[in-house]
Coordinates of all heavy atoms in Angstrom, one line a residue:
C10 N -81.4 -11.2 -67.9 CA -81.5 -9.9 -68.6 C -80.1 -9.2 -68.5 O -79.6 -9.0 -67.5 CB -82.6 -9.1 -68.1 SG -82.8 -7.5 -69.0
R11 N -79.7 -8.6 -69.7 CA -78.4 -7.9 -69.7 C -78.7 -6.4 -70.0 O -77.7 -5.6 -70.2 CB -77.5 -8.4 -70.8 CG -77.1 -9.9 -70.5 CD -76.2 -10.0 -69.4 NE -75.8 -11.4 -69.2 CZ -76.0 -12.1 -68.1 NH1 -76.7 -11.6 -67.1 NH2 -75.6 -13.3 -68.0
G12 N -79.9 -6.0 -70.1 CA -80.3 -4.6 -70.3 C -80.0 -4.0 -71.7 O -79.7 -2.8 -71.8
A13 N -80.2 -4.8 -72.7 CA -80.0 -4.3 -74.1 C -81.0 -3.3 -74.4 O -80.8 -2.4 -75.3 CB -80.1 -5.5 -75.1
G14 N -82.2 -3.4 -73.9 CA -83.3 -2.3 -74.1 C -84.1 -2.5 -75.3 O -84.9 -1.6 -75.6
Q15 N -83.9 -3.5 -76.1 CA -84.8 -3.7 -77.3 C -86.2 -3.8 -77.0 O -87.1 -3.3 -77.7 CB -84.3 -5.0 -78.0 CG -82.9 -4.9 -78.6 CD -82.8 -3.7 -79.6 OE1 -83.6 -3.6 -80.5 NE2 -81.8 -3.0 -79.4
C16 N -86.6 -4.4 -75.9 CA -88.0 -4.5 -75.5 C -88.6 -3.1 -75.2 O -89.7 -2.8 -75.6 CB -88.2 -5.4 -74.2 SG -87.2 -4.8 -72.8
T17 N -87.8 -2.2 -74.5 CA -88.3 -0.9 -74.2 C -88.4 -0.1 -75.5 O -89.4 0.7 -75.6 CB -87.3 -0.2 -73.3 OG1 -87.1 -1.0 -72.1 CG2 -87.8 1.2 -72.8
L18 N -87.5 -0.2 -76.4 CA -87.6 0.5 -77.7 C -88.8 0.0 -78.5 O -89.4 0.8 -79.2 CB -86.3 0.3 -78.5 CG -85.1 1.0 -77.9 CD1 -83.8 0.6 -78.7 CD2 -85.3 2.5 -77.9
T19 N -89.1 -1.3 -78.5 CA -90.1 -1.9 -79.3 C -91.5 -1.7 -78.7 O -92.5 -1.4 -79.5 CB -89.9 -3.4 -79.4 OG1 -88.5 -3.6 -80.0 CG2 -90.9 -4.1 -80.3
A20 N -91.6 -1.8 -77.4 CA -93.0 -1.7 -76.8 C -92.9 -1.0 -75.4 O -92.9 -1.5 -74.4 CB -93.5 -3.1 -76.5
P21 N -92.7 0.4 -75.5 CA -92.5 1.2 -74.3 C -93.8 1.2 -73.4 O -93.7 1.5 -72.2 CB -92.2 2.6 -74.8 CG -92.7 2.6 -76.2 CD -92.6 1.2 -76.7
E22 N -94.9 0.8 -74.0 CA -96.1 0.7 -73.2 C -96.1 -0.6 -72.2 O -96.8 -0.6 -71.3 CB -97.4 0.6 -74.1 CG -97.5 1.6 -75.1 CD -96.8 1.3 -76.4 OE1 -96.1 0.2 -76.5 OE2 -96.9 2.0 -77.4
L23 N -95.2 -1.5 -72.6 CA -95.2 -2.8 -71.8 C -93.9 -3.0 -71.0 O -93.9 -3.7 -70.0 CB -95.3 -4.0 -72.8 CG -96.6 -4.0 -73.6 CD1 -96.5 -5.2 -74.6 CD2 -97.8 -4.2 -72.7
F24 N -92.8 -2.3 -71.5 CA -91.5 -2.5 -70.8 C -90.8 -1.2 -70.5 O -91.0 -0.2 -71.2 CB -90.6 -3.4 -71.8 CG -91.2 -4.6 -72.2 CD1 -91.8 -4.8 -73.5 CD2 -91.2 -5.8 -71.4 CE1 -92.4 -5.9 -73.9 CE2 -91.8 -7.0 -71.8 CZ -92.3 -7.1 -73.1
D25 N -90.0 -1.2 -69.5 CA -89.2 -0.1 -69.1 C -87.9 -0.7 -68.7 O -87.7 -2.0 -68.6 CB -89.8 0.7 -68.0 CG -89.2 2.1 -67.9 OD1 -88.2 2.4 -68.6 OD2 -89.7 2.9 -67.1
Q26 N -86.9 0.1 -68.3 CA -85.6 -0.4 -67.8 C -85.4 0.2 -66.4 O -85.7 1.3 -66.1 CB -84.5 0.0 -68.7 CG -84.5 -0.8 -70.0 CD -83.3 -0.4 -70.9 OE1 -83.5 0.5 -71.6 NE2 -82.2 -1.2 -70.8
S27 N -84.8 -0.6 -65.5 CA -84.5 -0.3 -64.2 C -83.4 0.8 -64.2 O -82.5 0.8 -64.9 CB -84.0 -1.5 -63.4 OG -83.4 -1.1 -62.2
D28 N -83.7 1.8 -63.3 CA -82.7 2.9 -63.1 C -81.4 2.4 -62.5 O -80.3 2.9 -62.6 CB -83.2 4.1 -62.3 CG -84.3 4.8 -63.1 OD1 -84.3 4.8 -64.3 OD2 -85.1 5.5 -62.4
D29 N -81.6 1.3 -61.7 CA -80.4 0.7 -61.0 C -79.4 0.0 -61.8 O -78.2 0.2 -61.8 CB -80.9 -0.2 -59.9 CG -81.7 0.5 -58.8 OD1 -81.4 1.7 -58.5 OD2 -82.6 -0.1 -58.2
D30 N -79.9 -0.9 -62.7 CA -79.0 -1.8 -63.4 C -79.4 -1.9 -64.9 O -78.7 -2.6 -65.7 CB -78.9 -3.2 -62.8 CG -80.2 -3.9 -62.7 OD1 -81.2 -3.4 -63.3 OD2 -80.3 -5.0 -62.1
G31 N -80.4 -1.2 -65.4 CA -80.8 -1.2 -66.8 C -81.6 -2.5 -67.2 O -81.9 -2.6 -68.4
T32 N -81.9 -3.4 -66.3 CA -82.6 -4.6 -66.7 C -84.1 -4.3 -66.9 O -84.6 -3.2 -66.5 CB -82.4 -5.7 -65.7 OG1 -82.9 -5.3 -64.4 CG2 -81.0 -6.2 -65.6
V33 N -84.8 -5.2 -67.6 CA -86.2 -5.0 -67.9 C -87.1 -4.9 -66.7 O -86.9 -5.6 -65.7 CB -86.6 -6.1 -68.9 CG1 -86.6 -7.5 -68.2 CG2 -88.0 -5.8 -69.4
V34 N -88.0 -4.0 -66.8 CA -89.1 -3.8 -65.9 C -90.4 -4.0 -66.7 O -90.7 -3.3 -67.7 CB -89.1 -2.4 -65.2 CG1 -90.3 -2.2 -64.4 CG2 -87.8 -2.2 -64.5
L35 N -91.2 -5.0 -66.3 CA -92.5 -5.3 -66.9 C -93.5 -4.4 -66.4 O -93.8 -4.4 -65.2 CB -92.8 -6.8 -66.7 CG -94.1 -7.3 -67.4 CD1 -94.0 -7.1 -68.9 CD2 -94.3 -8.7 -67.0
L36 N -94.2 -3.6 -67.3 CA -95.2 -2.7 -66.9 C -96.6 -3.3 -66.9 O -97.5 -2.8 -66.2 CB -95.1 -1.4 -67.8 CG -93.8 -0.7 -67.9 CD1 -93.9 0.4 -68.9 CD2 -93.5 -0.2 -66.5
N37 N -96.8 -4.3 -67.8 CA -98.1 -4.9 -67.9 C -98.0 -6.3 -68.3 O -97.6 -6.6 -69.5 CB -99.0 -4.1 -68.9 CG -100.4 -4.6 -69.0 OD1 -100.7 -5.6 -68.5 ND2 -101.2 -3.8 -69.7
E38 N -98.2 -7.3 -67.4 CA -98.0 -8.7 -67.7 C -99.1 -9.3 -68.6 O -99.0 -10.3 -69.2 CB -97.8 -9.5 -66.5 CG -99.0 -9.8 -65.7 CD -98.8 -10.8 -64.6 OE1 -97.7 -11.2 -64.3 OE2 -99.8 -11.2 -64.0
Q39 N -100.3 -8.6 -68.7 CA -101.4 -9.0 -69.5 C -101.8 -7.9 -70.5 O -102.7 -7.2 -70.2 CB -102.6 -9.4 -68.6 CG -102.3 -10.7 -67.8 CD -103.5 -11.1 -67.1 OE1 -103.9 -10.4 -66.1 NE2 -104.0 -12.3 -67.4
P40 N -101.0 -7.8 -71.6 CA -101.3 -6.7 -72.5 C -102.7 -6.8 -73.2 O -103.1 -8.0 -73.5 CB -100.2 -6.8 -73.5 CG -99.7 -8.2 -73.4 CD -100.0 -8.7 -72.0
P41 N -103.3 -5.7 -73.4 CA -104.6 -5.7 -74.2 C -104.3 -6.2 -75.6 O -103.1 -6.1 -76.1 CB -105.0 -4.3 -74.1 CG -103.8 -3.5 -73.9 CD -102.9 -4.3 -73.1
P42 N -105.3 -6.6 -76.3 CA -105.2 -7.1 -77.7 C -104.4 -6.2 -78.6 O -103.6 -6.7 -79.4 CB -106.6 -7.3 -78.2 CG -107.4 -7.5 -76.9 CD -106.7 -6.7 -75.9
E43 N -104.5 -4.9 -78.5 CA -103.9 -4.0 -79.4 C -102.3 -3.9 -79.1 O -101.6 -3.3 -80.0 CB -104.5 -2.6 -79.3 CG -104.4 -1.9 -78.0 CD -105.6 -2.1 -77.1 OE1 -106.3 -3.1 -77.3 OE2 -105.7 -1.4 -76.1
L44 N -101.8 -4.4 -78.0 CA -100.4 -4.4 -77.7 C -99.8 -5.8 -77.8 O -98.6 -5.9 -77.7 CB -100.2 -3.8 -76.3 CG -100.5 -2.4 -76.1 CD1 -100.2 -1.9 -74.7 CD2 -99.8 -1.5 -77.1
Q45 N -100.5 -6.8 -78.2 CA -100.0 -8.1 -78.2 C -99.0 -8.4 -79.3 O -98.0 -9.1 -79.2 CB -101.1 -9.2 -78.2 CG -101.9 -9.2 -76.9 CD -103.0 -10.2 -76.9 OE1 -103.2 -11.0 -77.8 NE2 -103.8 -10.2 -75.8
A46 N -99.2 -7.7 -80.5 CA -98.2 -7.9 -81.6 C -96.9 -7.2 -81.2 O -95.8 -7.8 -81.4 CB -98.8 -7.2 -82.8
S47 N -97.0 -6.1 -80.5 CA -95.7 -5.5 -80.0 C -95.0 -6.3 -79.0 O -93.8 -6.4 -78.9 CB -96.0 -4.1 -79.3 OG -96.5 -3.2 -80.3
A48 N -95.8 -7.0 -78.1 CA -95.2 -7.9 -77.1 C -94.5 -9.1 -77.8 O -93.3 -9.4 -77.5 CB -96.3 -8.5 -76.2
R49 N -95.1 -9.6 -78.8 CA -94.5 -10.7 -79.6 C -93.2 -10.3 -80.3 O -92.2 -11.0 -80.4 CB -95.5 -11.4 -80.5 CG -96.6 -12.1 -79.8 CD -97.5 -12.9 -80.7 NE -98.7 -13.3 -80.0 CZ -98.7 -14.4 -79.3 NH1 -97.7 -15.1 -79.1 NH2 -99.9 -14.8 -78.7
L50 N -93.3 -9.1 -80.8 CA -92.1 -8.5 -81.5 C -90.9 -8.3 -80.5 O -89.8 -8.7 -80.8 CB -92.4 -7.2 -82.2 CG -91.3 -6.6 -83.0 CD1 -90.7 -7.5 -84.1 CD2 -91.7 -5.3 -83.6
A51 N -91.2 -7.8 -79.3 CA -90.2 -7.7 -78.3 C -89.6 -9.0 -77.9 O -88.4 -9.1 -77.7 CB -90.8 -7.0 -77.1
V52 N -90.4 -10.1 -77.8 CA -89.9 -11.4 -77.6 C -88.9 -11.8 -78.6 O -87.8 -12.3 -78.3 CB -91.0 -12.4 -77.5 CG1 -90.5 -13.9 -77.5 CG2 -91.9 -12.2 -76.3
S53 N -89.2 -11.6 -79.9 CA -88.4 -12.0 -81.0 C -87.1 -11.2 -81.1 O -86.1 -11.7 -81.6 CB -89.1 -11.9 -82.3 OG -89.3 -10.6 -82.7
L54 N -87.1 -9.9 -80.6 CA -85.9 -9.1 -80.7 C -85.0 -9.1 -79.5 O -83.9 -8.6 -79.5 CB -86.4 -7.6 -80.9 CG -87.1 -7.3 -82.2 CD1 -87.5 -5.9 -82.2 CD2 -86.1 -7.6 -83.4
C55 N -85.4 -9.7 -78.4 CA -84.6 -9.8 -77.2 C -83.4 -10.6 -77.4 O -83.5 -11.8 -77.7 CB -85.4 -10.4 -76.0 SG -84.5 -10.5 -74.5
P56 N -82.2 -10.0 -77.3 CA -81.0 -10.8 -77.6 C -80.6 -11.9 -76.6 O -79.9 -12.8 -76.9 CB -79.9 -9.7 -77.6 CG -80.4 -8.6 -76.8 CD -81.9 -8.6 -77.0
N57 N -81.2 -11.8 -75.4 CA -80.9 -12.8 -74.4 C -82.1 -13.8 -74.2 O -82.0 -14.6 -73.3 CB -80.5 -12.2 -73.1 CG -79.2 -11.5 -73.2 OD1 -78.2 -12.1 -73.6 ND2 -79.1 -10.2 -73.0
S58 N -83.2 -13.6 -74.9 CA -84.3 -14.5 -74.8 C -84.9 -14.5 -73.4 O -85.2 -15.6 -72.9 CB -84.0 -15.9 -75.4 OG -83.6 -15.8 -76.7
V59 N -85.0 -13.4 -72.8 CA -85.5 -13.4 -71.4 C -87.0 -13.1 -71.3 O -87.6 -13.2 -70.2 CB -84.8 -12.4 -70.5 CG1 -83.3 -12.7 -70.6 CG2 -85.0 -10.9 -71.0
I60 N -87.7 -12.7 -72.4 CA -89.1 -12.4 -72.4 C -89.8 -13.6 -73.0 O -89.4 -14.2 -74.1 CB -89.4 -11.2 -73.2 CG1 -88.6 -10.0 -72.8 CG2 -90.9 -10.9 -73.2 CD1 -88.6 -8.8 -73.7
H61 N -90.9 -14.1 -72.3 CA -91.6 -15.2 -72.8 C -93.1 -14.9 -72.7 O -93.6 -14.2 -71.9 CB -91.4 -16.4 -71.9 CG -89.9 -16.7 -71.7 ND1 -89.2 -17.4 -72.7 CD2 -89.0 -16.4 -70.7 CE1 -88.0 -17.5 -72.3 NE2 -87.8 -16.9 -71.1
I62 N -93.8 -15.4 -73.7 CA -95.3 -15.3 -73.8 C -95.9 -16.6 -73.4 O -95.6 -17.7 -73.9 CB -95.7 -14.9 -75.3 CG1 -95.1 -13.6 -75.8 CG2 -97.2 -14.9 -75.4 CD1 -95.6 -12.4 -75.1
V63 N -96.9 -16.5 -72.5 CA -97.7 -17.6 -72.1 C -99.1 -17.3 -72.7 O -99.8 -16.4 -72.2 CB -97.8 -17.8 -70.6 CG1 -98.6 -19.0 -70.2 CG2 -96.3 -18.0 -70.1
D64 N -99.5 -18.1 -73.7 CA -100.8 -17.9 -74.3 C -101.9 -18.5 -73.3 O -101.7 -19.6 -72.7 CB -100.9 -18.6 -75.6 CG -100.2 -17.8 -76.7 OD1 -100.3 -16.5 -76.7 OD2 -99.4 -18.4 -77.4

Side-chain angles (χ1 to χ4, degrees):
C10 182
R11 300 288 184 242
Q15 293 302 311
C16 56
T17 304
L18 293 172
T19 304
E22 308 88 353
L23 300 174
F24 305 100
D25 199 355
Q26 288 182 273
S27 167
D28 290 335
D29 294 330
D30 60 6
T32 58
V33 64
V34 174
L35 182 58
L36 301 176
N37 186 348
E38 77 170 9
Q39 292 184 293
E43 63 270 15
L44 295 179
Q45 291 182 7
S47 294
R49 291 185 191 282
L50 182 58
V52 168
S53 71
L54 294 175
C55 180
N57 294 304
S58 301
V59 303
I60 306 169
H61 307 280
I62 300 290
V63 178
D64 286 312

